[in-house]
Amino acid sequence: MEFKIKTGELSRLKTPCLVIGLFEKRKLTAPAEQIDAASDGRLSELLKKGDLDGEAGRTLMLYDLPGVAAERVLLVGCGKKKEFNRTTYRKAVAAAVALLQQTHAGEATMALHVPLPDKTGLYLAVRDAVLTAEDKVYRYNRTKDDKQAPKTPLARLTLWLADKQGQALAERAVRHGAAMGTGIALAKELGNLPGNICTPTYLADKAVELGGRFDALEVEVLDEDAMAELKMGALLSVSRGSRQPAKLILMHYRGGKPGARPIVLVGKGLTFDAGGISLKPAAEMDEMKYDMCGGAAVIGSLLAACELGLSINLIGVVPASENLPDGAANKPGDIVTSMSGQTIEILNTDAEGRLILCDALTYSKRFDPALVIDLATLTGACVVALGKHTAGLFTPDDTLAGEIGRAGEQAGDRAWRMPLWEDYQTQIDTNFADMANTGGRDAGAITAACFLSRYTKDYRWAHLDIAGVAWVSGKDKGATGRPVALITQLLLERSGALEPSA
Ligand code: BES
Ligand code: MN
Ligand code: ZN
């Protein structure tokens, strides 16, 4: 989609559709008042018919308003004026875009952020509009004939500003939002692809393709021989149960000063998780194609960084593998040696994410990272603990916890901190190896993070368990692209392109 910022007299704007807001009990927003005046009170006259009250997300399309240059005027409910906040605002934008997709307009001019939602500045209001619009227009069509696809998809969205004062800031917000949106869309698409298309090799090929598109991005893929050379015994033990060879994808983005310590993003790229010998139950097992969403978010975040040309050094590390039951697969009780030298007793072959991540985390040490963040659909227990609204955030570093928490809040892509106290570590003790790969039923998300913590002692580290947020189930089943927005927000702040969020 294309986005623009425009100022000028609203009623004289030539656009296929002008989108304006209405508060509850038919209270006009400032732009709606302008249109009402230009149309000589026609708008308020029409509203008296009672077809739209202003409830958040409800819409009403009007045609041929006298004195108004726009071909259509779309009225969107913004809820109660006093309660107008970021959530109702995003809901209003989403409703407008959904309706526009069903019309023949193809482009529109939006004035929904006037007045600004509670505590949301212009920058965020504009960026949210871009992100919400991109989210709404994304459609998966790679493996089906999308018969319900809009005939005239919304291709251009102009965001209207009352005056030129905020123009530069709004244009920056558009640029940032569009780049984030591109990264999110890529993460969604990779997530939605089925396991028989999106294999470790496919993910690696996509990353290599991106490397070819940007001068600042260099992509390298390690095969199983190279991983064996590095003694990645934990990672390779998982891929042994599958016919698809594992890949270790390495993406180097060099936008910062040469030699400046990089941020390293590590993403779980489990392209299908059947559980291995500890086979999962059949119900909803298809959703385990989403078990590579951490890897997809890493690739999407690197794309966003490239698009933004961030002044930062950034490295993506994606261990990619399948987890299937085969004669050569891991068996419960097997003991493997990780790249770190620590031995692991595999009590449950379905706890494979930590096995592929631990070697990728050990490998990441060589980059002398300023910070390592891993993204992983790691545990069902995290979904039980936090539901589908927020990711689980684990780090021993209080400062980092604050920074990531605030970035998530700012991006509308939340993460909530969970404890990582020593007390939990004993749950993964075993008589037969340095650690077990599971710690029993209690605190499953925390003991998984405890496992990872044993491989991340040499640098600042945070772990995001995205099992609940990476995709939605049910009728609207699909990947969300989370947490690309959170990560990009953090990168924008770290590279100095944005003030750190207060
Ligand atoms: N990929 C799953 C985690 C998962 C499950 C994410 C359901 C989203 C929805 C992971 O590999 C896994 O199977 N974890 C096990 C760990 C257990 C065996 C200790 C789990 O959560 O059940
Ligand atoms: Mn599993
Ligand atoms: Zn898994």
Side-chain angles (χ1 to χ4, degrees):
M1 245 176 124
E2 217 181 283
F3 298 93
K4 262 198 307 212
I5 300 293
K6 214 171 192 173
T7 53
E9 167 62 41
L10 254 194
S11 61
R12 285 201 220 118
L13 277 186
K14 284 211 172 64
T15 171
C17 186
L18 178 63
V19 184
I20 54 179
L22 181 74
F23 291 120
E24 256 174 56
K25 300 277 175 283
R26 287 184 245 151
K27 231 181 242 140
L28 302 182
T29 56
E33 258 164 20
Q34 287 182 40
I35 293 302
D36 193 38
S39 68
D40 225 359
R42 187 64 190 274
L43 188 61
S44 35
E45 205 52 47
L46 284 169
L47 283 171
K48 278 191 195 141
K49 294 187 195 297
D51 291 355
L52 186 73
D53 184 59
E55 294 148 280
R58 299 270 314 266
T59 53
L60 182 67
M61 186 70 98
L62 303 173
Y63 300 87
D64 298 324
L65 272 190
V68 177
E71 291 166 37
R72 306 168 178 80
V73 172
L74 177 57
L75 274 172
V76 186
C78 292
K80 293 200 174 71
K81 186 172 181 183
K82 264 201 228 124
E83 291 167 13
F84 188 48
N85 60 22
R86 218 174 145 192
T87 310
T88 42
Y89 166 67
R90 288 181 80 139
K91 212 164 150 183
V93 174
V97 172
L99 192 95
L100 283 162
Q101 285 281 74
Q102 291 167 29
T103 69
H104 195 58
E107 63 179 280
T109 303
M110 217 176 238
L112 282 180
H113 61 281
V114 191
L116 283 169
D118 177 45
K119 292 195 200 112
T120 309
L122 177 65
Y123 171 83
L124 274 192
V126 170
R127 199 178 77 180
D128 274 3
V130 172
L131 286 174
T132 306
E134 286 285 17
D135 184 60
K136 275 279 151 192
V137 301
Y138 169 83
R139 296 184 74 87
Y140 175 83
N141 55 21
R142 172 76 185 268
T143 47
K144 78 171 208 183
D145 183 7
D146 187 1
K147 293 199 182 69
Q148 269 130 46
K151 293 207 175 55
T152 314
L154 188 62
R156 259 181 306 275
L157 189 60
T158 302
L159 298 157
W160 179 80
L161 286 190
D163 52 58
K164 289 220 182 288
Q165 216 189 0
Q167 180 123 5
L169 186 65
E171 270 161 8
R172 176 142 56 112
V174 161
R175 234 177 333 105
H176 291 179
M180 277 174 153
T182 309
I184 290 170
L186 175 61
K188 281 186 188 173
E189 186 70 8
L190 291 173
N192 286 331
L193 286 171
N196 61 336
I197 294 179
C198 186
T199 59
T201 303
Y202 181 91
L203 272 186
D205 289 348
K206 282 285 141 186
V208 168
E209 202 179 297
L210 279 189
R213 274 179 49 199
F214 299 94
D215 285 343
L217 184 64
E218 191 192 323
V219 177
E220 188 191 348
V221 178
L222 303 191
D223 62 13
E224 291 189 345
D225 287 343
M227 288 187 260
E229 197 77 23
L230 288 159
K231 299 197 158 47
M232 294 188 162
L235 195 165
L236 289 170
S237 80
V238 174
S239 86
R240 255 204 327 268
S242 142
R243 294 183 187 182
Q244 291 289 341
K247 302 285 171 186
L248 185 66
I249 305 166
L250 304 166
M251 306 174 79
H252 295 262
Y253 169 74
R254 296 186 179 90
K257 291 199 187 75
R261 296 170 78 194
I263 293 178
V264 177
L265 301 172
V266 177
K268 176 178 174 184
L270 215 293
T271 59
F272 190 77
D273 181 12
I277 296 298
S278 314
L279 192 65
K280 286 182 181 296
E284 280 130 46
M285 206 211 271
D286 65 292
E287 297 191 6
M288 282 298 113
K289 72 174 182 180
Y290 289 118
D291 212 16
M292 37 54 72
C293 282
V298 167
I299 297 172
S301 299
L302 269 117
L303 172 57
C306 288
E307 295 265 354
L308 289 163
L310 294 181
S311 314
I312 201 170
N313 292 329
L314 180 67
I315 299 175
V317 178
V318 180
S321 172
E322 291 184 326
N323 185 26
L324 293 177
D326 168 276
N330 278 326
K331 304 175 294 296
D334 282 1
I335 293 173
V336 299
T337 305
S338 65
M339 184 184 176
S340 72
Q342 299 177 96
T343 55
I344 305 162
E345 184 185 23
I346 298 171
L347 291 180
N348 188 322
T349 67
D350 198 9
E352 84 298 337
R354 61 201 81 180
L355 295 175
I356 68 170
L357 286 169
C358 71
D359 282 343
L361 288 165
T362 300
Y363 184 80
S364 297
K365 234 188 287 184
R366 67 182 53 207
F367 303 123
D368 185 25
L371 167 67
V372 177
I373 305 178
D374 76 76
L375 315 176
T377 48
L378 202 61
T379 66
C382 192
V383 194
V384 174
L386 294 170
K388 300 205 156 230
H389 305 287
T390 178
L393 163 61
F394 303 79
T395 174
D397 184 325
D398 294 343
T399 315
L400 187 55
E403 186 184 348
I404 295 176
R406 284 189 298 275
E409 191 70 43
Q410 193 78 350
D413 185 3
R414 286 190 182 122
W416 190 256
R417 192 179 188 188
M418 301 269 281
L420 194 56
W421 296 309
E422 279 298 313
D423 313 46
Y424 294 95
Q425 290 281 353
T426 52
Q427 279 181 242
I428 53 173
D429 286 349
T430 156
N431 294 342
F432 303 106
D434 293 328
M435 72 198 76
N437 78 329
T438 65
R441 234 171 58 94
D442 292 358
I446 300 172
T447 53
C450 284
F451 181 98
L452 298 180
S453 77
R454 297 184 182 203
Y455 297 83
T456 55
K457 297 220 181 296
D458 296 329
Y459 45 69
R460 292 184 82 189
W461 161 75
H463 156 60
L464 286 170
D465 193 330
I466 59 168
V469 301
W471 75 94
V472 291
S473 312
K475 175 170 86 41
D476 295 320
K477 190 189 287 180
T480 60
R482 289 178 70 179
V484 172
L486 181 162
I487 295 296
T488 314
Q489 174 71 32
L490 194 77
L491 297 176
L492 281 165
E493 291 176 12
R494 283 269 176 150
S495 69
L498 269 186
E499 294 284 300
S501 13

